[in-house]
Structure formats: structure tokens, C-alpha cells
Amino acid sequence: MKLLWFTNTPSMATERLTGGFNIGGGWLESLEKHFRKDTDIELAVAFYWDGTQELDKFTESGRKYYAIPAPYTGSKLQKYKRRSQNLIEPPEIVNYFEEIVADFQPDMIHVFGSEKAFGLIAPRVKVPTALWIQGNLTVYTHKWFSGISRAEVLKLTPQKDKLKHTDNEAKYQTSLKVAEREREIFKGCKYFTGRTDWDRRITQVLAPKAQYFHCDEILRDAFYQSHWKPHTNRDELRIMTTIQGNLYKGFETILESMPMLQEQLDHKVRWRICGMKKEDALVKLFEKKYKVNPASLNIELLGRVSPETLIEELLAADMFVHPSHIDNSPNSVCEAMLVGTPVVATYAGGTPSLLENNQEGILVQAGDPYAMAGAILDLYHNQEIAVQMAQAAKHRAQERQNPKRIVDSLLAIYQNILAHENQDQKISSLTSQ
């Protein structure tokens, strides 16, 4: 079988192209590595890359890649125009996708994510195409201003950011366009792969005639090799969170929960956040809203960090807390479970599909700082229970994120889709006779 993947990152080509680690795409790199190692399928990977002006086909250690000229580059004026007009990829970008299909001639295509234009290839080619659901901007835009109103965001945003179109409103307007295209992509796809009840139910609504297959994600190797232990002799509660700077990720719940925890624990609380830094526009926006500097609450913003640092933080923490208002299956929660760090998370999107409440962690209502603080205190004051939950979560994550099981599952999905396509062709041929 010849298989073509369209991905949001260079995957295993990252090291060659950047010489660095792949923030946000490590799970895909892990999947490619295990898939190439454990199957005899001929695989090619296509992705956007801003270091090329024309379609660049290259081979790295026997692996085939297609680097597509990224539609987001150009002069400062061109970038400003794109932001000011909320431009997304132009329709003609699909021509590159078709060129790749014609060159590689795959038996099947798998598109990873609906956030980019890659999924538009499905109705343009005769090759069976599946879409791997990562998130869903149709829902994310619906939940965009959770925790803070749109009016507040507009009021608190600096005028210079509005003029530069780098503000949240500009990002929201662009995301609305992407969400509209996403719905078009869903209508054009016959096959989907996902991981949670949430993305399965969304598929049922946005693509009611499509077939849905369950397949989990392989995480980065280092997370399988790390094992959390409780910190019994430390006179401080240390919390760890990994979130990006989006309004719907629940940063405001952290700011609202922390004073409650400090009051209960005599200020012996430290909350370390990976993925955000103090210079971020969202941080400054919430500083205005709450009239407080996160550092004064003992909230430490570490910015984007390497996988090794993420693991160090998970091992050093007493618990991992995920405050998001919407998510599919956040890798950060899966990573914490796999390492064995106790978890508090929100009932948001697909998160309830990842762990059972009060058995493998604690789930609370999104946007509720009182319940969030209370759940954190539950784990802190009942360490034996916290350890039991963490061990149960680790066991579940080890089974769910087992690389061989996932590769076998994905291979079976591909074979199922191809068999279904062959059956449809036979029926179509008989009908036309």
C-alpha cells in the first residue's frame, strides 16, 4: 500500500529542517516513527514549510516528504494585509495537493487535522481520503469567549494591537473563516478517525453519512519512560499546567482559583504554567481584568519548553491541572496520566473520555474556580487517594497509548476503508451494467 499523509508539522523531517524539537507535533512524529518501523507501507508526508518557494520533494533517511510553500509568509506589508483582511489559505493552494497526489500516486490519503486546507483534497481526487480529527474550530469558535466576554476583550485590548490586527478579535475573525472551511471539509470527507465521544458526536452532526473509526495517539517516547512519585516531605503545594494563550483555555480560572488556595494553605502554593509567558498579550489582558500580576500570586509562566522540561515539571509537581473550557483529547492530560502525575481537569469536550472522575483523577465544571480549588485541595489533603488515582490513570494511559496497539489499529482502519471502497466500486460497476 502507498499512503500519503497531510500534516500540520514536518513530523520526522523536523530535525533536518529546524535542528530542533517539534512543539505541538511530537505525537505525530512518534506515530510516523512507529508506523514506519512496524509496517511495510510506503509512506510519504506532506506539510507546509516557509523555507521553500516551490513544492520541494525530498528524501530523508529513506523517508519521502513534500514541503509545500507556506501561504503565510511574505513581507511585513503582506503579513499585515493578511491579518487585516483575516485571510486564510487561498483556494489555489489545493493545486499543490493535487500535484503531490499525482506525483506519489497513493492508494490512500490521511489528512491530520481540519484546521488547514488539506482536507479540501478529498472531493478533488479519486483516492479514498480519511480525516484525523485533532480539534474542531467550529466548536472552538462557539466557546471562544468562555470565561471572559467579547465586550471585555475589546475594551481591555490595547489600541496598538487592534491597529496591527494582532489582537484576539482578529484571531477570532480569522478562526471563523477557518471554521466555515472546516465545515466544508467535513461535508467532503467520507471517513474520519477520532479518539473521543466528543469528536465522534461532532462528526455525526457535521458529516452524518461518513464512517467514523476510533484510533488513539502515540505520545513521545520519554513520557512512557517516566514515573511520578509523591513529594511527601515538601512544605509547599506545587501545581503544573500546560496551556496555550487562547481565551478558551481557562487561564482566568487559574487566576481566580489561586487566591483561594493561598488563603487555605497559608500562601504555600506554587503554580507553574508551560506554554505561556509573561509577555503574552493574553496575560497582559487578564492582568488588566483582574488588576493583578500573576507573579504576585506565585504563578510562574515558563513559556514554550522542550519535552524534557515538560517531564521534569510533571515529575516535580504534586498534581497536573487542566482548566480548559474546550478541548478534544488534550495531549497534556494524556502525558500527565502516562507519567503518573495526579490530574484535575475540566468536563470539557473529549476530556471525560480520557479519565473516569474520582477513579483516575478529578473532573470539575469548566470555568468554576471554587470547584477547581476544592478538587486541588481534595488531592492535596488526601495523598493516598491521589496516588491511587494516579496509578489507575497511568495504567489506563499505558493501555490507551500503547504504540503497537495504535499502529495495528490504524493499519486495520486503512484496510477497512480500502475494502469498503473496493466493495463500493464493485456495486457501482454492477449497477452500471
Side-chain angles (χ1 to χ4, degrees):
M1 182 196 306
K2 296 182 70 176
L3 178 66
L4 175 61
W5 286 356
F6 284 96
T7 67
N8 291 337
T9 75
S11 191
M12 287 183 71
T14 298
E15 185 67 29
R16 165 189 167 134
L17 296 170
T18 70
F21 60 88
N22 187 5
I23 296 179
W27 69 270
L28 185 57
E29 188 173 337
S30 296
L31 177 63
E32 183 189 349
K33 182 181 72 173
H34 285 278
F35 197 79
R36 288 190 186 277
K37 178 172 68 73
D38 297 334
T39 73
D40 58 0
I41 288 177
E42 184 179 352
L43 173 66
V45 179
F47 53 89
Y48 289 142
W49 185 246
D50 60 9
T52 181
Q53 300 301 313
E54 298 294 336
L55 183 64
D56 180 19
K57 178 175 68 172
F58 64 90
T59 300
E60 174 70 16
S61 301
R63 306 186 299 265
K64 294 182 180 180
Y65 297 97
Y66 293 88
I68 305 165
Y72 314 111
T73 56
S75 66
K76 288 184 178 180
L77 181 60
Q78 289 173 316
K79 291 178 180 178
Y80 173 80
K81 178 182 177 182
R82 187 183 72 245
R83 294 196 306 269
S84 63
Q85 298 181 17
N86 308 115
L87 299 178
I88 59 177
E89 298 108 303
E92 56 268 22
I93 197 75
V94 183
N95 295 336
Y96 281 115
F97 310 160
E98 291 182 315
E99 186 179 340
I100 293 169
V101 173
D103 181 77
F104 186 63
Q105 297 187 350
D107 298 304
M108 183 169 166
I109 298 168
H110 205 165
V111 174
F112 287 80
S114 53
E115 304 84 6
K116 300 292 192 294
F118 298 134
L120 294 174
I121 190 65
R124 300 276 288 266
V125 295
K126 295 182 179 180
V127 183
T129 301
L131 176 68
W132 183 297
I133 303 171
Q134 294 181 175
N136 187 282
L137 276 168
T138 296
V139 182
Y140 288 4
T141 51
H142 185 70
K143 300 283 288 183
W144 195 275
F145 296 101
S146 299
I148 185 170
S149 71
R150 188 176 180 183
E152 281 184 290
V153 173
L154 291 171
K155 178 182 177 182
L156 297 171
T157 299
Q159 189 63 26
K160 65 176 183 178
D161 290 346
K162 295 178 182 179
L163 293 173
K164 290 162 60 178
H165 298 280
T166 57
D167 60 320
N168 273 289
E169 180 64 21
K171 294 175 184 176
Y172 173 63
Q173 292 298 332
T174 301
S175 294
L176 286 175
K177 286 189 174 182
V178 176
E180 182 179 4
R181 183 183 64 200
E182 179 181 67
R183 292 190 287 276
E184 178 185 352
I185 289 172
F186 266 70
K187 289 179 181 178
C189 281
K190 292 172 59 178
Y191 305 103
F192 291 82
T193 55
R195 301 171 302 290
T196 66
D197 288 337
W198 181 80
D199 64 29
R200 177 182 56 80
R201 288 163 180 156
I202 288 171
T203 303
Q204 186 172 293
V205 174
L206 297 179
K209 296 182 180 179
Q211 283 189 268
Y212 175 94
F213 301 90
H214 181 99
C215 188
D216 293 302
E217 291 180 344
I218 299 176
L219 302 180
R220 290 166 286 198
D221 288 344
F223 289 95
Y224 293 83
Q225 301 159 5
S226 303
H227 307 281
W228 177 87
K229 294 180 180 179
H231 303 277
T232 55
N233 298 318
R234 187 165 62 196
D235 187 26
E236 176 189 64
L237 168 59
R238 185 160 167 177
I239 305 167
M240 187 264 188
T241 289
T242 303
I243 53 173
Q244 296 177 336
N246 295 317
L247 287 170
Y248 49 81
K249 287 295 185 178
F251 182 58
E252 87 292 338
T253 310
I254 294 175
L255 292 175
E256 293 170 353
S257 298
M258 192 58 159
M260 304 177 196
L261 293 171
Q262 288 180 325
E263 182 179 355
Q264 291 281 334
L265 300 176
D266 195 25
H267 295 267
K268 294 179 180 179
V269 188
R270 185 181 306 276
W271 201 320
R272 291 168 66 83
I273 300 176
C274 297
M276 298 178 68
K277 57 183 184 298
K278 62 182 180 180
E279 297 83 9
D280 288 350
L282 183 63
V283 173
K284 295 184 180 300
L285 186 147
F286 279 117
E287 284 179 349
K288 288 184 180 179
K289 174 178 170 60
Y290 292 99
K291 297 180 175 57
V292 66
N293 184 325
S296 69
L297 296 175
N298 232 11
I299 295 173
E300 300 172 352
L301 304 174
L302 307 181
R304 303 175 75 181
V305 302
S306 68
E308 292 74 22
T309 301
L310 278 176
I311 291 171
E312 289 174 5
E313 292 295 329
L314 283 169
L315 294 175
D318 293 296
M319 65 190 70
F320 175 86
V321 176
H322 189 67
S324 185
H325 293 274
I326 188 65
D327 259 308
N328 186 10
S329 61
N331 280 343
S332 58
V333 173
C334 295
E335 289 165 351
M337 292 175 68
L338 192 56
V339 169
T341 306
V343 173
V344 174
T346 53
Y347 281 107
T351 306
S353 291
L354 301 180
L355 70 154
E356 185 176 350
N357 184 38
N358 290 327
Q359 298 297 318
E360 297 157 334
I362 299 179
L363 295 174
V364 299
Q365 181 69 33
D368 184 344
Y370 298 93
M372 178 73 75
I376 291 169
L377 291 170
D378 273 351
L379 291 184
Y380 180 68
H381 291 309
N382 300 279
Q383 191 167 90
E384 185 177 340
I385 293 175
V387 170
Q388 290 174 357
M389 288 185 183
Q391 290 173 344
K394 184 178 181 69
H395 177 72
R396 178 169 179 174
Q398 286 174 325
E399 291 187 348
R400 179 177 60 226
Q401 261 76 49
N402 180 281
K404 186 180 186 309
R405 186 187 66 79
I406 291 171
V407 170
D408 289 346
S409 176
L410 188 55
L411 188 59
I413 290 169
Y414 292 153
Q415 292 169 341
N416 194 325
I417 291 173
L418 289 175
H420 188 270
E421 287 288 309
N422 289 334
Q423 184 66 23
D424 280 354
Q425 290 176 7
K426 289 179 181 179
I427 293 174
S428 177
S429 177
L430 290 172
T431 304
S432 62
Q433 289 178 1

